[in-house]
Every structure is written in C-alpha cells, then in structure tokens.
C-alpha cells in the first residue's frame, strides 16, 4: 500500500512531452517528472480526535504498517474502513491503539479539469 497503485499514467501530446523534457533538462539529471491523471474525487479515511476535529488515519495510527488514508473509489474506502475497525477491535499491538470513530470524507479536487 504505497499509494501508487491508484495512479494512472496521463496520455500526453508530443508537445506536452517535449515541454516535460525541457523542464527536466532545466531541473538537472537528478530529477524526472512523471505525468499522472488527476482524480476528480478522492475519499479520505479520518479518525475523530475530538469535537469537530478529524485527522487522517495514517497519522493517528502510525503503528499500523502500510495504512493508507486516501482512496480513489468509495467502495475501496469502505472496505478499508471496515478492515480498520475490525483490526482495532481484535489487534494485539502493544500498547493497544485507542479505537476512535472513523469516517469517510469525500475530497473534491478543484484543480482537475472536467
């Protein structure tokens, strides 16, 4: 769960590819630019920290390896929420992480073109 499995390589015109090559030359040999398609909507898993205070689950539960906070599909976010709730009830970590209310929040990308 690196977060890279949801990326889709963007389809670029030859002019766009040339622009990227020019930018890479300006930035130097240690930098490579990657073009990916943006998502209109992402789904964030958040844990309740207090009244009207929510935080990403990967920041609240850093002891859970490979936990992911953002998902491209709502169904994947629901499955992850169910798994996380079950894990928090039945885990054997020491110290035991506190079980908190978890929500799925829809995050709209205002910069993506429609």
């Amino acid at each position: 769960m690196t977060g890279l499995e949801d990326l889709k390589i963007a389809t670029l015109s030859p002019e766009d590819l040339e622009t990227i090559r020019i930018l890479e030359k300006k930035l130097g040999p240690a930098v490579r630019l990657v073009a990916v398609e943006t998502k209109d909507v992402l789904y964030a898993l958040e844990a309740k920290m207090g009244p009207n205070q929510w935080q990403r689950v990967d920041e609240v539960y850093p002891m859970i390896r490979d936990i992911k906070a953002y998902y491209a599909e709502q169904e994947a976010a629901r499955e992850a929420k169910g798994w996380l709730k079950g894990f928090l009830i039945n885990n054997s970590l020491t110290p035991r992480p506190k079980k908190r209310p978890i929500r799925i929040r829809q995050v709209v990308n205002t910069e993506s073109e429609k």
Side-chain angles (χ1 to χ4, degrees), residues 94-113:
T94 307
R96 193 175 193 129
K98 182 178 179 183
K99 185 179 176 299
R100 300 177 178 276
I102 297 172
R103 74 174 181 184
I104 299 172
R105 182 173 61 92
Q106 184 174 335
V107 181
V108 178
N109 183 358
T110 57
E111 295 179 2
S112 67
E113 295 179 18

Side-chain angles (χ1 to χ4, degrees), residues 2-10 34-39 68 72:
T2 62
L4 298 177
E5 60 270 5
D6 292 334
L7 294 180
K8 182 177 177 188
I9 302 300
V34 178
V36 294
E37 289 186 9
T38 59
K39 301 281 184 182
K68 204 169 110 176

Side-chain angles (χ1 to χ4, degrees), residues 8-69:
K8 182 177 177 188
I9 302 300
T11 305
L12 299 173
S13 68
E15 295 83 19
D16 292 336
L17 287 172
E18 186 57 33
T19 302
I20 289 175
R21 287 187 189 109
I22 292 169
L23 286 171
E24 285 180 337
K25 286 179 184 176
K26 286 182 181 179
L27 294 171
V31 176
R32 291 290 170 250
L33 300 177
V34 178
V36 294
E37 289 186 9
T38 59
K39 301 281 184 182
D40 292 336
V41 175
L42 290 175
Y43 298 92
L45 280 183
E46 298 175 328
K48 188 171 188 175
M49 303 304 290
N52 295 324
Q53 189 178 19
W54 295 84
Q55 193 171 348
R56 293 175 12 189
V57 293
D58 59 342
E59 294 175 351
V60 175
Y61 301 113
M63 68 289 291
I64 302 174
R65 204 176 97 218
D66 297 332
I67 191 168
K68 204 169 110 176

